[in-house]
Amino acid sequence: MLIKKIDKLVLGSYIGLFILTLCVAIFIFLMQFFLIWFDELIGKNLGLLVYLQLFCYFGINVTPLAFPLATLLASLMALGNLGEYLELTALKGAGVSLLRILLPLAVFVVILSGLVFFSNGYLVPKVNEKAYCLLYDLRKKKPSIAIREGVFYNDIPDYSIKVDKKLPDQKTLQGIIIYDHTKDRGNVAVTMAESGQLYIIHGGQYLVMELFNGCSYLEEPPKVDPTKCKQKAIPILYRSSFKTQKVIFDLGSFKLTRSSENLFSFHHTTKNNSQLSTEIADMKTKIKVASQAIIDEFRQHWPLPNDRELGDVCIEPLKKEVLADINNILALKAQAKQLQTYQEDDATTETPATNSTVYQHILPQITQKALDQAKDFRSKLATQVNRIEAEQKDLREYEIEKHKRLASAIGCIIMFLIGAPLGALIRRGGLGVPLLVSTIFILLHYIADMFGVRWAKIGILDSLSGSWAPNLILLPFGLFFLRQAQKDTRLLEGDAYTILLERFKNVIRRRSR
């Protein structure tokens, strides 16, 4: 019964903090996303429902980053609270070890890691497809109608509108000029009015501008045939006055049109784990077949060992250094072969002097032909190698995406190994000290992830090492803090360093004697 109460105590203090820190982490990443796309999302009259849908999609999109960070911060705060209020000391005094205290949290984090892996592999890719499609549609949508004073407004297709003054009700306009470009003949149709009123009809499908006290000017081309008339034809100008006139604008281009979600299905972040594995296998097969085809063609011009093994994604004999010199190598070989053939024919003839003259005459032709053949072959090889390198680049991105999904799930366990023992050592609850300490490991995780992925994409590291770089770097810290917490080391207390310094001074004094 005592053990069950301990588990309830530890889990109760952890789960609430985990949910809180997870929401905070997601909110921070969403604000970062919102700041990036602020200019393209504001002022388009999208409505609250569209914004909520967008934030929900990208809230799930950032969960692979938010879950490990929330696990770290929640572990620090939960164990720090238990240590600050001496509950951790009381449990240890009752004979309960630190590992037994952390057992329920460890089981919870392991289950959480499994859910995160499933989410990263199946839920997040599906949501990414919807999120990128919605973001693409929002970026395409035109801003809502915002006619400003003294500036031509050109967002309504085929119309250019200018007003001198706009009253505070945002509907009454004064000094209106409307250029009609629907006939695509320039500024030949102009409407001017002293004032006007704006309102929308048919559920926002059309905008009506009701004009008062104005004139309309229309310039029409001459009706006479300019080829038959010697003098230059003069256009016909029509002028009409009105007291009231309505101009109707179609607002179809201002509506949010939804694109097909298949538009982004090609991207590796929108594919689930099984689709990623299939794509990776197909890419490796294509690269291997293309590489072997190039090797076979290369052997026709340059001897290679028959037992040379071709790797899955590596083309050893087609390094760029070899391609750079292949032009000269093949040219010299072709030239030597043709000259040898000619010399053999020359030796069988009876007029060596004449043949020597002919030999000197055709030597430039032979050389040029050999060079042309070598250039053609080199160009063909370079094109094939560039295509394979592009395929290898895509392959690395797919492999990185696949490995990062598992690495992100295991990252929750790594962060727990750091946060829980460190919280027991710090013995400070709240948000201040745990947040300050966790910032160090968050930055370390971010830097390792950034450089690991970047180096893996350019081939400095393999895909597995680049994806797991943050976990490999942070794991020793977790094991170290867990060992120190088991020994109840006063590692991070204020007087710990004073005691350590005194011991160091005593050792030096003993040795000096």
Side-chain angles (χ1 to χ4, degrees), residues 218-263:
L218 178 61
E219 182 183 294
E220 291 287 350
K223 297 182 179 180
V224 297
D225 189 355
T227 59
K228 297 181 180 180
C229 183
K230 296 182 180 180
Q231 297 181 353
K232 185 178 180 181
I234 301 175
I236 302 173
L237 179 63
Y238 296 94
R239 180 184 183 275
S240 61
S241 302
F242 59 85
K243 290 186 178 180
T244 303
Q245 179 176 313
K246 292 181 179 180
V247 182
I248 301 177
F249 306 99
D250 186 6
L251 299 182
S253 61
F254 288 84
K255 290 186 177 180
L256 178 61
T257 57
R258 300 303 300 269
S259 303
S260 174
E261 294 179 359
N262 295 329
L263 186 64

Side-chain angles (χ1 to χ4, degrees), residues 265-312:
S265 59
F266 69 93
H267 202 265
H268 56 270
T269 58
T270 62
K271 296 183 181 295
N272 57 38
N273 287 343
S274 58
Q275 291 173 337
L276 278 179
S277 300
T278 303
E279 291 288 340
I280 290 173
D282 292 342
M283 287 182 182
K284 288 183 177 180
T285 302
K286 290 179 182 178
I287 292 174
K288 188 172 183 178
V289 171
S291 303
Q292 187 61 50
I294 293 177
I295 293 298
D296 294 339
E297 187 171 0
F298 189 90
R299 285 196 180 106
Q300 298 177 5
H301 300 270
W302 190 255
L304 291 177
N306 294 326
D307 58 346
R308 179 183 293 276
E309 294 294 334
L310 184 65
D312 291 338

Side-chain angles (χ1 to χ4, degrees), residues 335 338-339 341-343 345-346 355-370:
Q335 180 182 353
Q338 294 189 36
L339 290 177
T341 303
Y342 183 81
Q343 287 175 349
D345 296 338
D346 187 22
N355 289 333
S356 177
T357 304
V358 175
Y359 173 82
Q360 296 295 332
H361 177 70
I362 68 172
L363 178 60
Q365 299 177 5
I366 295 175
T367 304
Q368 186 61 42
K369 184 177 180 180

Side-chain angles (χ1 to χ4, degrees), residues 301-495:
H301 300 270
W302 190 255
L304 291 177
N306 294 326
D307 58 346
R308 179 183 293 276
E309 294 294 334
L310 184 65
D312 291 338
V313 291
C314 180
I315 313 172
E316 286 297 334
L318 294 179
K319 295 293 186 181
K320 289 188 178 296
E321 295 80 2
V322 176
L323 283 175
D325 296 332
I326 211 173
N327 189 21
N328 296 328
I329 294 173
L330 295 177
L332 293 174
K333 182 183 177 183
Q335 180 182 353
K337 184 176 181 180
Q338 294 189 36
L339 290 177
Q340 182 180 3
T341 303
Y342 183 81
Q343 287 175 349
E344 291 175 356
D345 296 338
D346 187 22
T348 61
T349 61
E350 297 178 356
T351 56
T354 305
N355 289 333
S356 177
T357 304
V358 175
Y359 173 82
Q360 296 295 332
H361 177 70
I362 68 172
L363 178 60
Q365 299 177 5
I366 295 175
T367 304
Q368 186 61 42
K369 184 177 180 180
L371 285 172
D372 292 340
Q373 292 177 354
K375 288 179 180 178
D376 292 341
F377 180 67
R378 180 178 180 272
S379 177
K380 185 177 180 180
L381 283 183
T383 302
Q384 293 292 338
V385 170
N386 291 335
R387 186 179 303 170
I388 292 177
E389 288 180 348
E391 195 76 20
Q392 288 175 335
K393 182 180 179 182
D394 294 338
L395 176 62
R396 287 194 292 267
E397 291 184 351
Y398 274 74
E399 289 179 336
I400 290 171
E401 179 67 23
K402 182 180 178 180
H403 294 316
K404 278 183 66 65
R405 291 177 181 179
L406 179 59
S408 175
I410 302 300
C412 296
I413 301 177
I414 303 297
M415 289 298 188
F416 171 75
L417 287 178
I418 294 176
L422 197 56
L425 293 172
I426 293 176
R427 298 179 183 178
R428 292 290 186 275
L431 189 63
V433 176
L435 181 61
L436 181 63
V437 174
S438 62
T439 302
I440 301 173
F441 296 99
I442 291 173
L443 289 176
L444 187 59
H445 179 277
Y446 174 77
I447 294 172
D449 181 69
M450 180 179 64
F451 281 99
V453 171
R454 182 176 300 178
W455 288 345
K457 286 183 178 180
I458 62 179
I460 297 178
L461 295 177
D462 60 279
S463 302
L464 182 63
S465 301
S467 304
W468 284 79
N471 293 343
L472 295 177
I473 292 176
L474 293 178
L475 179 61
F477 288 96
L479 297 177
F480 173 75
F481 289 137
L482 181 62
R483 178 178 176 81
Q484 298 301 318
Q486 279 186 283
K487 296 164 56 178
D488 202 15
T489 305
R490 301 170 63 184
L491 182 64
L492 300 175
E493 295 184 12
D495 57 345

